[in-house]
Amino acid sequence: MFNAFVGLAAGKNCETLDGKWYNQLGSEVFLKHEKDGTLYGEYRTAVERHNGSSGIGHSIVLGSAPYDYPGAAFAFSVVWRNGSSTTVWTGQCLVCENGDETLLTSWLLRAKVNTCIDKWKSTMIGRDTFTRYEQRDGPRKPTGTTEAPPNIVTVIKNWDPDGKNKPCNLNGNWYNTLGSEMIINQGEDSTIKGEYRTAVERETGAAGTSHSKVLGIGQLGGPNSTFAFFVVWRNGASVTGWVGQCHICGENKTEILESTWLLRSKIEKCSDNWKSTLYNEDTFTHTETTPGPRKKDDTHTPDRDDKNPRACKGYQLLFSFTLLSLSMLSSLVQWY
């Protein structure tokens, strides 16, 4: 799966993500960008939430970024200590005002919790800025080494070979409350692959012309472990990264993927970073609760009926509320 990291050179003007990057905390990420758009690499963190929570060695990176699209939005993730926590980053490479290539990223760190109601304390959010030069001291990949990183299987151990046949595995069809459909399968190397059909989009056409590819990683056979997956939209015009955990909730023992997400949209300059990212939550179940595009129906994109586009429903609701408020205000003025 992994090719040797040999002869990686720093790019110019964000032409490549290959090579070593360093964030403001001293962490190092080492990336190799494959032609199929997959990012592989190694992460050496300089910080951890609790002593030992990042494990005893470097961690494997898995991500997605359009190949030969400089400046496209991308995502990558790291699973810590066999799924006890997972981080997903979404970002974009830009050349900032100082002339340096910079990875502007936002991240979500999901820690494993024991019950459905404990999700309130599961997730942290923050930002990282990676550069080609070291901003602070931290753990480093030995210089001059050319060996390939270890296979994912050796890092994320398969605790339970029968995990695919037990409750709360990630395989199958999942539907969120907005009507989106996700069909995923987790391989024996712990990678998650599949298809995503979104029922909503930020603006008409933002989701592209067909379904989108899902890529992710999580602990195979660990029913309550954390995971991450991501979808790149329209060749990197935007990217969404999710982190989550599967729970069995309620009296009906329903399998639920509780997740949070970051939607990163491509920007033209570093000073626009403030408006690049949206954040929210998603809940997925195996049961369809809201209509949306479906593989079985050969529908793959949101409803783009010009008379009632899904992308505008929030605006329509706000507009209706505004009219109602103005009507009530007018009545009060007349009353007094």
Side-chain angles (χ1 to χ4, degrees), residues 5-266:
F5 287 8
V6 182
L8 297 182
K12 295 181 179 179
N13 300 322
C14 292
E15 293 172 0
T16 177
L17 298 177
D18 287 351
K20 295 180 180 179
W21 299 86
Y22 308 92
N23 73 8
Q24 73 284 355
L25 299 172
S27 301
E28 175 189 73
V29 62
F30 189 35
L31 297 176
K32 178 66 172 70
H33 197 182
E34 300 290 344
K35 290 184 178 180
D36 65 357
T38 305
L39 288 171
Y40 295 121
E42 302 173 358
Y43 199 95
R44 291 171 172 82
T45 182
V47 295
E48 52 189 357
R49 190 173 184 180
H50 305 293
N51 189 29
S53 60
S54 63
I56 59 175
H58 69 269
S59 298
I60 293 298
V61 171
L62 180 67
S64 185
Y67 194 77
D68 278 343
Y69 285 85
F74 63 83
F76 63 84
S77 60
V78 170
V79 177
W80 312 101
R81 289 188 61 197
N82 293 320
S84 62
S85 60
T86 299
T87 305
V88 66
W89 287 260
T90 61
Q92 182 183 351
C93 183
L94 290 165
V95 178
C96 293
E97 288 76 6
N98 59 7
D100 293 323
E101 290 180 301
T102 305
L103 303 186
L104 298 175
T105 71
S106 301
W107 54 261
L108 292 170
L109 170 61
R110 176 87 182 202
K112 182 177 176 179
V113 294
N114 294 323
T115 66
C116 302
I117 62 173
D118 283 338
K119 69 175 184 177
W120 64 270
K121 61 181 179 181
S122 66
T123 307
M124 299 177 66
I125 187 171
R127 281 186 169 176
D128 273 336
T129 300
F130 293 88
T131 58
R132 296 281 190 186
Y133 58 87
E134 298 184 43
Q135 303 174 53
R136 293 187 66 177
D137 292 336
R140 298 291 180 257
K141 180 179 177 69
T143 57
T145 56
T146 58
E147 78 281 0
N151 190 286
I152 288 178
V153 174
T154 67
V155 178
I156 303 178
K157 297 178 181 178
N158 185 356
W159 287 352
D160 185 355
D162 195 39
K164 287 187 175 183
N165 300 318
K166 293 187 176 181
C168 239
N169 69 75
L170 300 180
N171 297 288
N173 292 34
W174 297 91
Y175 306 93
N176 70 10
T177 53
L178 297 172
S180 301
E181 175 186 65
M182 178 172 63
I183 305 173
I184 54 176
N185 179 70
Q186 189 172 21
E188 293 184 359
D189 63 355
S190 297
T191 58
I192 300 165
K193 296 181 179 180
E195 303 174 355
Y196 198 95
R197 290 169 176 81
T198 182
V200 295
E201 51 191 355
R202 191 172 184 178
E203 57 186 25
T204 300
T209 59
S210 186
H211 66 271
S212 297
K213 174 183 174 182
V214 174
L215 182 64
I217 191 168
Q219 167 64 50
L220 179 64
N224 291 315
S225 64
T226 59
F227 59 83
F229 59 86
F230 20 88
V231 171
V232 177
W233 313 100
R234 290 183 58 199
N235 292 320
S238 59
V239 63
T240 305
W242 289 260
V243 288
Q245 183 180 352
C246 185
H247 290 285
I248 298 177
C249 302
E251 295 180 357
N252 296 327
K253 303 298 182 182
T254 302
E255 292 177 296
I256 296 176
L257 301 186
E258 295 283 6
S259 68
T260 50
W261 54 260
L262 295 171
L263 170 59
R264 172 87 188 197
S265 296
K266 187 175 177 180

Side-chain angles (χ1 to χ4, degrees), residues 318-332:
L318 177 61
F319 183 67
S320 299
F321 178 77
T322 303
L323 288 178
L324 177 61
S325 300
L326 289 173
S327 176
M328 292 175 64
L329 180 60
S330 176
S331 298
L332 287 172

Side-chain angles (χ1 to χ4, degrees), residues 271-291:
S271 58
D272 286 340
N273 195 39
W274 64 272
K275 63 180 180 180
S276 65
T277 306
L278 296 177
Y279 162 86
N280 213 325
E281 298 181 350
D282 258 341
T283 298
F284 294 87
T285 66
H286 287 301
T287 303
E288 300 181 52
T289 59
T290 307

